[in-house]
Amino acid sequence: MATQRPLGFWLKLVDGLINQQFDGLVEEHGVTRRQWQILNVLTGSPSTEAELTKVLKPFFDSESDVSAAEPVAELVDSGWVADDEGQFMLTAIGRESLARLSEVVERHRTQIAEGIPEEEYDAAVDVLQRMAHNLGWSE
C-alpha cells in the first residue's frame, strides 16, 4: 500500500499543474495570465493602473513584483485595451478576443473537474476556504 501523501503535497502539485497548463493555454492565444486577469477586470468597467494593480496583487509572489503597468501597456499596444487619460477599457477587438479565449479557458476548467461530481468539487473548495480562514486569511 502506498504511503498517503500530506495535504501540502497535493496542494502544491495541483496548484503547479494548474498554473503551468493555464499559463501555456493563454500564451498560445497571445496573452499572459496577468493580461487575462486584466481583461476580465475590464469587462466590468474601465480601471486605472492602480486599480488593476490592486486586483492583481494577490496573484504575485512578492510585493516588489506587483504592477499592472507592463501587462496593461502590452494590451494597449496590441489593440485589445484602450487608454483614455489613464482609464483603461476593452476595445471591440479586446472583447471579441476575450470571448474566444474564455471559451477555451472554460473547456480547460471543465477538463480539470472531469469525473468529479459537482458536490465533491464544491465540498473541496469549501474545505480549502475554511482552512485558509483557520490560517488567518480574510477577504
Side-chain angles (χ1 to χ4, degrees), residues 49-90:
E49 182 185 313
E51 291 166 336
L52 293 169
T53 296
K54 184 177 179 180
V55 171
L56 294 179
K57 189 175 179 179
F59 300 101
F60 282 82
D61 293 332
S62 71
E63 292 292 320
S64 62
D65 294 332
V66 180
S67 174
E70 185 178 331
V72 79
E74 291 170 352
L75 289 168
V76 169
D77 289 344
S78 72
W80 289 25
V81 169
D83 178 359
D84 183 13
E85 298 181 19
Q87 287 287 316
F88 297 97
M89 63 206 70
L90 289 178

Side-chain angles (χ1 to χ4, degrees), residues 112-123:
I112 291 170
E114 189 174 317
I116 302 169
E118 185 176 346
E119 56 274 358
E120 285 184 31
Y121 181 90
D122 292 345

Side-chain angles (χ1 to χ4, degrees), residues 2 8 18 24 37-38 56 58 61 69 72 86 104-105 109 114 123 127 130-131 137:
I18 288 172
Q37 291 163 326
I38 288 169
L56 294 179
D61 293 332
V72 79
V104 172
V105 168
R109 288 178 176 159
E114 189 174 317
V127 166
R130 286 186 280 150
M131 286 180 171
W137 177 77

Side-chain angles (χ1 to χ4, degrees), residues 11 31 33 41 43 62 68 80 93 95 100 102 115 129:
L11 290 173
V31 295
R33 174 175 272 208
V41 170
T43 61
S62 71
W80 289 25
I93 294 168
R95 281 189 296 278
R100 285 193 305 276
S102 294
Q129 182 178 15

Side-chain angles (χ1 to χ4, degrees), residues 95-108:
R95 281 189 296 278
E96 291 170 20
S97 299
L98 179 59
R100 285 193 305 276
L101 186 53
S102 294
E103 292 172 6
V104 172
V105 168
E106 187 54 39
R107 284 194 300 273
H108 179 67

